[in-house]
Amino acid sequence: MKKALTLCVMVLLSIPSFAISYMFDFRPSNAVTCITHDEANIYCATRHKGLAVIDKKTGTITWYTRENGSLPSNNLQYITIHDGKLFVSDFNLGAITCVDDHETDTLRISNIESFSNIFFAADDKMIASYGGYVDVYRNGVRTDSVTINPMILDGAVWKMKSDSQGVLWIASQTLKPYHGLTTYTLQDGFSFVFEGKSELPFDGSSARGLAIDQNDHIWFCSGSGHLVDYYGDSFQVHNLGFVAEDMSFDESGRLWMITHKGELKSFEDCQVKSYSCEVKNAIGYCLDVDGDAIYFGTDNGLFKYSDGEFVVFDFSDSPALIEGPNIQLSASVQGSWFDLQGRRVANSSEFQGSSFKLPKGVYIQNGKKFVVK
């Protein structure tokens, strides 16, 4: 990282004993569960591989893993940047690790299964979700808590984002018809947004994917596949026909979405547009907008969409991708190369004694996927 991340120290209370310590995780080993960025890097939380830090200028990937001693677990759940600090939560150990350039400091290991979201509010407060619960901590003391869904031990809270007024919005999957969207403020604590409303034109028990536009309108996707534009007490509802797992606005006001099936879509002027990629996904998890580049994480790794083209960062078990702290993805490698349709595009015998260059794309060499940027 070009801008040093400062280490912090935090002490949290013990979580109640009814929380489960370990959960089964059936997500593929190549899955990317959370993405964020700063001016220099893209940060990817992966399942079973650790934290990938991609330099946006060079394409160099730096890995933080259990094997190199920088993380307590490779099975990561969530990452966020706050006040120059990068925080990483894992899936099973309940640890929050603070990353400072090439050094890490694990802040907490407890008996909870995972922090699915972490948000830092004013007045030194940290809001963290785990399973169906959301807790507020200040100076190591738990000051407030809300039960979103006690029956769901993993994944009940999908997203937490703050608007320009400092209101924290929480999108969740619940058992109650009106508890899908929750707010938190320092003054009033937690509040269920739809509680007391007699009828809703969408499924109010589930809010997935959460975005806030420049006018502080709250956008989310209901479990019934409706895109909701909420402001004050008014709704505008659009029938998408699919469920968006994550969403974010770009600078032009276009809403980008990754679906449950791993498909990239956008919404603008009440129209949905789909973007086709040759590499098919089964599940989509997360999305991050960085300028004109759209990054999204799936069970097949990290994807980037920019200028009408897709780039795939394959985080599978390839030594060229996971060995060592600094890996430069390059086409200057000797060997036979094939495209995704199995057609040979280059052979080592054709380039004896010299390196060669390939066009941008996804290729196969020795049974492994490689990305040429």
Side-chain angles (χ1 to χ4, degrees):
M1 305 175 194
K2 295 187 177 180
K3 182 179 179 182
L5 298 177
T6 306
L7 290 176
C8 66
V9 179
M10 185 181 304
V11 180
L12 302 180
L13 288 180
S14 298
I15 302 300
S17 58
F18 53 74
I20 292 181
S21 299
Y22 291 91
M23 300 288 293
F24 292 105
D25 180 20
F26 298 102
R27 300 186 188 185
S29 61
N30 202 29
V32 173
T33 58
C34 188
I35 312 166
T36 191
H37 71 274
D38 57 20
E39 293 183 0
N41 302 297
I42 301 295
Y43 305 92
C44 299
T46 72
R47 284 293 162 93
H48 314 299
K49 304 299 179 195
L51 173 66
V53 181
I54 305 173
D55 187 293
K56 290 192 285 188
K57 288 186 177 181
T58 67
T60 301
I61 300 180
T62 301
W63 283 95
Y64 295 82
T65 67
R66 180 187 62 227
E67 287 76 16
N68 61 32
S70 54
L71 292 176
S73 170
N74 289 340
N75 198 350
L76 303 185
Q77 177 85 347
Y78 190 78
I79 50 177
T80 187
I81 297 174
H82 171 69
D83 195 25
K85 308 175 185 69
L86 179 67
F87 294 86
V88 184
S89 70
D90 63 49
F91 182 73
N92 279 330
L93 298 179
I96 299 178
T97 301
C98 189
V99 180
D100 178 15
D101 199 6
H102 292 280
E103 297 182 0
T104 59
D105 183 22
T106 298
L107 306 174
R108 182 195 197 307
I109 297 180
S110 72
N111 65 329
I112 71 168
E113 70 276 9
S114 66
F115 287 109
S116 58
N117 284 268
I118 305 170
F119 182 83
F120 293 90
D123 200 22
D124 297 325
K125 289 189 175 180
M126 185 191 81
I127 299 97
S129 65
Y130 61 100
Y133 307 89
V134 182
D135 285 346
V136 181
Y137 297 89
R138 185 174 186 272
N139 297 329
V141 178
R142 187 170 57 191
T143 62
D144 203 354
S145 181
V146 65
T147 299
I148 300 293
N149 191 349
M151 301 302 295
I152 298 181
L153 298 174
D154 175 57
V157 178
W158 294 109
K159 295 292 175 182
M160 300 195 301
K161 293 184 179 180
S162 177
D163 63 22
S164 65
Q165 305 302 312
V167 178
L168 180 65
W169 296 82
I170 305 169
S172 311
Q173 178 181 346
T174 72
L175 296 176
K176 297 185 178 181
Y178 303 106
H179 287 188
L181 193 63
T182 310
T183 59
Y184 174 81
T185 65
L186 297 176
Q187 297 78 19
D188 302 325
F190 292 99
S191 176
F192 293 109
V193 175
F194 304 138
E195 195 166 50
K197 298 184 184 299
S198 57
E199 292 185 5
L200 294 174
F202 53 87
D203 176 13
S205 67
S206 177
R208 304 175 74 133
L210 181 67
I212 303 176
D213 65 22
Q214 296 177 351
N215 297 315
D216 269 352
H217 286 222
I218 310 303
W219 295 72
F220 62 90
C221 184
S222 71
S224 55
H226 291 89
L227 179 64
V228 181
D229 172 8
Y230 174 69
Y231 184 75
D233 286 327
S234 64
F235 305 96
Q236 289 190 14
V237 182
H238 310 272
N239 188 4
L240 295 177
F242 59 84
V243 175
E245 291 293 309
D246 200 3
M247 59 180 66
S248 184
F249 286 95
D250 63 19
E251 295 177 353
S252 69
R254 180 182 300 170
L255 181 64
W256 293 88
M257 299 173 288
I258 180 69
T259 72
H260 179 70
K261 295 182 178 180
E263 302 162 327
L264 180 65
K265 297 180 183 291
S266 66
F267 181 84
E268 188 176 27
D269 297 328
C270 298
Q271 299 294 321
V272 175
K273 183 177 179 180
S274 299
Y275 302 82
S276 178
C277 180
E278 290 184 0
V279 180
K280 301 301 180 182
N281 304 300
I283 303 174
Y285 297 116
C286 54
L287 180 143
D288 184 57
V289 177
D290 180 19
D292 62 354
I294 314 301
Y295 294 88
F296 56 100
T298 74
D299 57 337
N300 271 335
L302 175 69
F303 288 69
K304 175 186 176 182
Y305 178 78
S306 181
D307 297 327
E309 296 183 354
F310 284 92
V311 174
V312 185
F313 298 82
D314 181 26
F315 294 156
S316 62
D317 289 325
S318 169
L321 294 179
I322 65 173
E323 288 184 358
N326 296 292
I327 308 299
Q328 177 66 48
L329 297 182
S330 173
S332 300
V333 180
Q334 296 294 321
S336 298
W337 295 78
F338 300 85
D339 62 18
L340 294 180
Q341 286 72 46
R343 297 171 298 199
R344 182 173 59 81
V345 295
N347 190 288
S348 58
S349 62
E350 301 173 25
F351 299 91
Q352 278 293 350
S354 63
S355 62
F356 60 91
K357 298 291 184 181
L358 287 171
K360 293 180 180 179
V362 183
Y363 299 94
I364 307 295
Q365 186 197 41
N366 296 326
K368 303 295 183 181
K369 285 184 183 178
F370 290 84
V371 177
V372 178
K373 299 176 60 182

